[in-house]
Amino acid sequence: MEQAQEREGRPSRRQAFQPGRPSGKTQGDVVLSVERVSKSIGRKPIIRDISFDVRAGEIFGFLGPNGSGKTTTIRMLVDLIKPTGGRISVCGEDVNRSPERALRHVGCIVENPEMYSYMTGWENLAHFARMQPDIPEARIEEVVDIVGLDARIHDKVKTYSLGMRQRLGIAQALLGSPKLLILDEPTNGLDPKGIKELRAFIRELADGGMSVFVSSHLLSEIQLMCDRVAIIGQGRVIAVGKVEELVAQAETYTLWLVSDPERAEALLREHPDARVVGEDEHRIDESLLAAMPGAIVTSMEPDAVPGWVERFVAAGIGVQAVHRASPSLEELFLKLTEGERLG
């Protein structure tokens, strides 16, 4: 993504963001509230009594497999479809009863941002600003600075990279100084560098006081990006909580790289404080396994590891490496949904 150079005399991106910061709010205030929301099409239930809150200044992840109701939920959040039951409110305003008042606090990108490729980035923003009341040109300058497109904003959008288009879409969503930004699969199609830059940018928005709701199937990115997460499956919210707390519910593995794997595995099977985990039982990141070829995967308490090092050494087995592998959110998801996979 294009990195902006700060203009002389211009405020920093974080300073420029201040006009959109929730006035009088502190971290922990509820910006988005979803209370027992349901949606049925005919007699078929799509969303079943889901509830969660998004707080001021946090990045909230929304995970679910294809067909879980994730997209339906997002469409209800922005009043594209009506819920069958329950209540959705933004900054205390009911989305169904007072959509204009509620959605003035919301910026949203659902799927890929739609822009006019034959126009410049600035012309696109000016066009969308005219669709909203009281968006001055100064606000366009501010959002351009926030997303870091200063150097390319007067170039035609057809010359933009995918990452730049994503930033321009976010700039459009920020025009109205929203308190809640909803991003549906924001890292789709981005290369690793672009994903890293987008992650840092979203964190900067949250640090400035904005709430960011991120829907994604990239589990590792959700772990790196989000403060809390909701996991949805078959139309139900299965779990909501801090990422580290949810991940702690799944099994953590200890990987051993030793000089004699066969003898080490036999020794491990003789003791009740360790369990050898088969290849079909774990879902450890393949890059980690590639870095430790031939490693024995075990499940054991952290305080048991030093004793096992001593046992291996006493048995004449050289310990070349030991690694604690934290579980992924997919591990937790599979545990909670009894094998339903994320899509």
Side-chain angles (χ1 to χ4, degrees), residues 12 19 21 39 42 56 86 109 117 128 138 168 171 177 187 197 203 226-227 231 243 253-254 259 295 299 326 338:
S12 67
R21 186 168 183 165
K39 175 65 180 178
I109 301 178
S117 61
F128 290 113
L168 185 62
S177 300
T187 58
E197 290 176 353
R203 172 52 61 189
C226 297
D227 302 305
I231 299 177
V243 175
Y253 302 112
T254 302
S259 60
S299 174
S326 298
E338 297 181 351

Side-chain angles (χ1 to χ4, degrees), residues 18-330:
Q18 295 304 310
R21 186 168 183 165
S23 176
K25 286 186 176 292
T26 59
Q27 177 100 12
D29 292 329
V30 173
V31 173
L32 169 67
S33 177
V34 177
E35 304 173 63
R36 306 195 67 178
V37 168
S38 300
K39 175 65 180 178
S40 297
I41 298 178
R43 295 185 177 180
K44 182 180 180 181
I46 306 299
I47 300 297
R48 297 174 171 87
D49 200 33
I50 67 170
S51 298
F52 58 85
D53 292 330
V54 179
R55 302 162 188 162
E58 79 170 345
I59 303 173
F60 188 90
F62 197 53
L63 292 175
N66 292 332
S68 65
K70 187 172 51 177
T71 299
T72 300
T73 300
I74 292 174
R75 291 183 178 277
M76 288 191 291
L77 296 182
V78 295
D79 199 41
L80 291 178
I81 58 175
K82 301 290 185 183
T84 306
R87 182 175 186 269
I88 301 170
S89 60
V90 180
C91 297
E93 300 283 358
D94 191 301
V95 170
N96 298 313
R97 294 181 180 178
S98 308
E100 289 187 5
R101 290 205 299 267
L103 296 180
R104 70 184 177 186
H105 302 295
V106 179
C108 180
I109 301 178
V110 179
E111 299 175 347
N112 294 324
E114 295 294 332
M115 296 289 167
Y116 296 101
S117 61
Y118 62 89
M119 295 167 61
T120 68
W122 182 276
E123 288 168 342
N124 269 275
L125 293 178
H127 171 73
F128 290 113
R130 286 192 292 270
M131 297 181 181
Q132 303 181 50
D134 304 321
I135 303 293
E137 184 172 306
R139 180 58 183 167
I140 300 178
E141 293 181 357
E142 286 175 352
V143 298
V144 169
D145 187 54
I146 290 167
V147 302
L149 281 177
D150 302 63
R152 297 290 304 278
I153 195 61
H154 295 293
D155 294 346
K156 292 188 182 299
V157 170
K158 64 183 178 183
T159 68
Y160 283 14
S161 67
L162 181 60
M164 292 170 63
R165 287 173 183 252
Q166 195 74 295
R167 281 183 178 257
L168 185 62
I170 293 175
Q172 175 197 333
L174 295 178
L175 281 170
S177 300
K179 296 177 175 65
L180 172 68
L181 178 63
I182 298 175
L183 302 176
D184 185 17
E185 301 282 358
T187 58
N188 267 0
L190 297 182
D191 59 23
K193 182 174 181 289
I195 291 173
K196 183 177 180 180
E197 290 176 353
L198 181 64
R199 184 171 66 238
F201 171 64
I202 290 174
R203 172 52 61 189
E204 188 172 352
L205 291 179
D207 288 345
M210 179 173 287
S211 303
V212 185
F213 180 97
V214 180
S215 165
S216 178
H217 69 281
L218 295 175
L219 305 168
S220 60
E221 285 307 311
I222 288 293
Q223 285 180 279
L224 291 171
M225 185 188 304
C226 297
D227 302 305
R228 292 192 304 131
V229 63
I231 299 177
I232 184 172
Q234 297 183 345
R236 294 184 177 90
V237 168
I238 301 162
V240 180
K242 292 183 179 180
V243 175
E244 62 270 20
E245 292 174 353
L246 293 178
V247 168
Q249 297 180 36
E251 194 169 27
T252 299
Y253 302 112
T254 302
L255 279 63
W256 298 87
L257 195 60
V258 295
S259 60
D260 191 337
E262 290 186 8
R263 286 182 58 213
E265 189 168 326
L267 188 61
L268 284 161
R269 294 184 187 280
E270 293 175 2
H271 293 266
D273 63 342
R275 182 174 70 87
V276 176
V277 182
E279 291 183 11
D280 58 340
E281 295 182 70
H282 66 74
R283 285 160 293 275
I284 296 175
D285 188 274
E286 291 183 2
S287 62
L288 176 57
L289 294 175
M292 298 182 68
I296 303 171
V297 180
T298 65
S299 174
M300 64 176 63
E301 293 297 323
D303 56 8
V305 172
W308 272 103
V309 173
E310 293 178 2
R311 281 178 186 163
F312 287 143
V313 172
I317 301 170
V319 178
Q320 299 162 341
V322 184
H323 183 84
R324 293 283 291 176
S326 298
S328 66
L329 283 174
E330 183 174 30

